[in-house]
Amino acid sequence: QVQLVESGGGLVQAGDSLRLSCAASGRTSSIDDMAWFRQAPGKEREFVAAITWSGDTPSYANSVKGRFTISRDNAKNTVYLQMNSLKPDDTAVYYCAGTYRGTTNRVWGQGTQVTVSS
């Protein structure tokens, strides 16, 4: 089993930056790709960014491309989401997810709230 715990959310103003962290524990060797998703009130959960185990092929949703950067430190079992130039539309609960190696099954964190005021 793998547990994921997100941190770093908060209330910021438009244009500010935040860095989210996702710490993994347990059988972390069973996790391959890591990703961030978000869910705004009244909306479905949507993909934000993903990164492979090697960290060399990150991918982003068009809405965050150029503003957000995903990275991972495998030695610390932690994935980060650096969010710059935040907009009110970025307000959501941000979830970290890990895909079990060789499967399409994901493990999810509990989420961290990001609120961007205009």
Side-chain angles (χ1 to χ4, degrees):
Q1 291 282 12
V2 174
Q3 295 79 41
L4 302 177
V5 178
E6 302 96 332
S7 61
L11 171 63
V12 297
Q13 294 186 330
D16 285 350
S17 298
L18 273 178
R19 189 177 81 156
L20 305 183
S21 298
C22 172
S25 61
R27 291 188 59 190
T28 57
S29 61
S30 63
I31 293 294
D32 193 356
D33 295 356
M34 295 290 293
W36 287 95
F37 290 77
R38 67 186 182 186
Q39 187 167 19
K43 295 187 177 181
E44 293 187 353
R45 191 172 298 188
E46 65 175 5
F47 168 78
V48 176
I51 191 167
T52 60
W53 180 86
S54 62
D56 60 358
T57 54
S59 59
Y60 300 94
N62 287 335
S63 58
V64 307
K65 200 171 293 184
R67 300 187 298 123
F68 290 12
T69 302
I70 188 171
S71 62
R72 67 190 294 169
D73 184 337
N74 290 334
K76 295 182 178 179
N77 293 319
T78 301
V79 177
Y80 305 97
L81 185 68
Q82 177 67 43
M83 306 186 294
N84 299 329
S85 303
L86 282 162
K87 306 174 181 180
D89 283 349
D90 295 319
T91 295
V93 177
Y94 283 71
Y95 297 91
C96 175
T99 302
Y100 286 102
R101 197 180 304 278
T103 77
T104 57
N105 297 326
R106 287 198 181 104
V107 57
W108 295 87
Q110 83 289 349
T112 185
Q113 177 71 47
V114 172
T115 303
V116 184
S117 64
S118 58

